[in-house]
């Protein structure tokens, strides 16, 4: 009986030790596969990975989106800089002031190199009993600036003019018939900066004007002599202006 028990105990011990070793000996190691793929490309597929791939945008599309967004920001920035640096100025034509024709002129930038100039002129009194000019006029002008900076240097302009007038000269008085003088012309000018805000402007213009007027004797309640229509070609603008830039 002792022999049988010892034999069984020995067999059980051999079985416990030999079976795991046999299983380990039969386990086949997976061969290694050499590849140039990145770990992300060889990752095990999972449903969450599929969602991430679907949400991810190609690199080219991401670049296009960033470029588009940058362009929008640049456009907004350029627009705001143009608005903040817009040229605006108030002026008075000293040449007209010297002959008693008061005037005030406002100019504003409407394009990178274009401005609109709007001068208003008036004279409502007589200089002498036999010599006087009473007028109310406006002469808007569209200007194209030649330099890199608007409101500085040389420019060309296209202007129109409308004027109501009553002129006394020697023994005659000339007055519009209710239809104002009207016409248009071309001008050239130069703006000279004197300081950050002040400047001087010189301009001359040539063009056409059509007028219909009555002629009277230049006395109180003078009789009407005739009515005429005149087509005028010649100087339509002369300016030596003092300019204040905002």
């Amino acid at each position: 009986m002792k022999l049988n028990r010892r034999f069984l105990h020995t067999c059980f011990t051999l079985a416990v030790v030999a079976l795991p070793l046999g299983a380990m000996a039969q386990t086949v190691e997976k061969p290694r596969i050499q590849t140039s793929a990145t770990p992300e490309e060889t990752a095990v597929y999972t449903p969450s990975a599929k969602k991430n791939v679907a949400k991810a945008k190609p690199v080219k599309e991401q670049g296009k989106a960033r470029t588009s967004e940058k362009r929008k920001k640049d456009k907004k920035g350029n627009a705001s800089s143009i608005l903040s640096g817009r040229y605006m100025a108030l002026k008075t034509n000293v040449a007209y002031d010297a002959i008693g024709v008061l005037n005030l002129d406002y100019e504003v930038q409407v394009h990178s190199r274009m401005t609109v100039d709007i001068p208003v002129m008036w004279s409502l009194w007589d200089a002498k009993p036999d010599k006087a000019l009473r007028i109310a006029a406006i002469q808007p002008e569209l200007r194209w600036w030649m330099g890199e900076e608007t409101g500085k240097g040389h420019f060309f302009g296209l202007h129109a003019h409308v004027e109501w007038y009553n002129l006394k000269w020697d023994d005659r008085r000339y007055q519009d018939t209710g239809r104002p003088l009207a016409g248009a012309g071309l001008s050239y000018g130069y703006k000279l900066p004197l300081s950050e805000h002040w400047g001087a402007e010189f301009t001359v213009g040539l063009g056409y004007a059509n007028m219909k007027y009555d002629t009277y004797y230049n006395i109180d309640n003078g009789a009407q002599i005739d009515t005429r229509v005149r087509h005028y070609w010649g100087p339509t603008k002369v300016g030596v202006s003092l300019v204040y830039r905002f």
Side-chain angles (χ1 to χ4, degrees):
M1 288 295 291
K2 292 183 179 181
L3 180 61
N4 291 336
R5 287 180 180 177
R6 184 176 296 176
F7 178 78
L8 291 174
H9 180 72
T10 302
C11 290
F12 177 78
T13 302
L14 290 175
V16 170
V17 175
L19 286 175
L21 291 177
M24 293 177 60
Q26 293 177 3
T27 302
V28 180
E29 184 180 359
K30 294 183 179 179
R32 293 184 180 179
I33 301 175
Q34 295 183 354
T35 176
S36 59
T38 61
E40 291 79 7
E41 294 175 342
T42 58
V44 179
Y45 172 82
T46 61
S48 60
K50 181 180 179 181
K51 293 181 181 179
N52 294 333
V53 171
K55 291 181 180 179
K57 294 183 178 179
V59 177
K60 291 183 178 180
E61 292 184 5
Q62 292 178 359
K64 289 180 180 179
R66 291 173 184 172
T67 304
S68 177
E69 185 178 355
K70 184 179 180 181
R71 287 177 180 174
K72 290 180 180 179
K73 291 182 179 179
D74 292 342
K75 287 181 180 179
K76 290 181 181 178
N78 292 336
S80 61
S81 62
I82 290 174
L83 291 175
S84 61
R86 176 180 291 181
Y87 175 76
M88 292 185 290
L90 276 179
K91 299 178 279 185
T92 183
N93 190 336
V94 181
Y96 290 172
D97 292 332
I99 61 174
V101 178
L102 301 183
N103 62 93
L104 189 62
D105 191 342
Y106 176 68
E107 186 174 8
V108 61
Q109 184 177 355
V110 295
H111 188 264
S112 59
R113 290 193 177 185
M114 295 175 66
T115 60
V116 172
D117 185 60
I118 308 174
V120 178
M121 296 155 278
W122 68 94
S123 176
L124 307 176
W125 49 84
D126 295 345
K128 294 182 178 180
D130 62 337
K131 290 182 175 64
L133 175 62
R134 295 185 179 186
I135 68 167
I138 185 171
Q139 194 175 43
E141 181 174 70
L142 180 64
R143 293 179 171 180
W144 176 266
W145 293 83
M146 304 301 294
E148 295 181 358
E149 182 179 348
T150 302
K152 182 179 180 181
H154 302 272
F155 66 87
F156 289 96
L158 173 64
H159 62 266
H161 35 257
V162 178
E163 178 182 334
W164 292 264
Y165 56 92
N166 187 348
L167 170 65
K168 294 181 179 181
W169 197 258
D170 294 335
D171 61 345
R172 294 288 189 271
R173 183 172 66 87
Y174 309 94
Q175 183 176 356
D176 63 78
T177 61
R179 187 188 78 179
L181 175 152
L186 298 173
S187 63
Y188 162 76
Y190 181 80
K191 165 73 180 301
L192 176 65
L194 301 177
S195 66
E196 181 180 357
H197 293 286
W198 293 98
E201 182 181 289
F202 308 91
T203 180
V204 62
L206 300 173
Y208 166 79
N210 176 270
M211 62 192 84
K212 183 179 180 180
Y213 58 91
D214 296 326
T215 305
Y216 301 87
Y217 290 109
N218 190 15
I219 58 175
D220 291 341
N221 300 317
Q224 181 178 345
I225 300 173
D226 59 16
T227 299
R228 297 183 181 182
V229 175
R230 184 179 179 188
H231 301 278
Y232 168 81
W233 292 91
T236 53
K237 190 171 189 178
V238 177
V240 180
S241 301
L242 182 63
V243 182
Y244 178 82
R245 176 175 182 172
F246 293 100

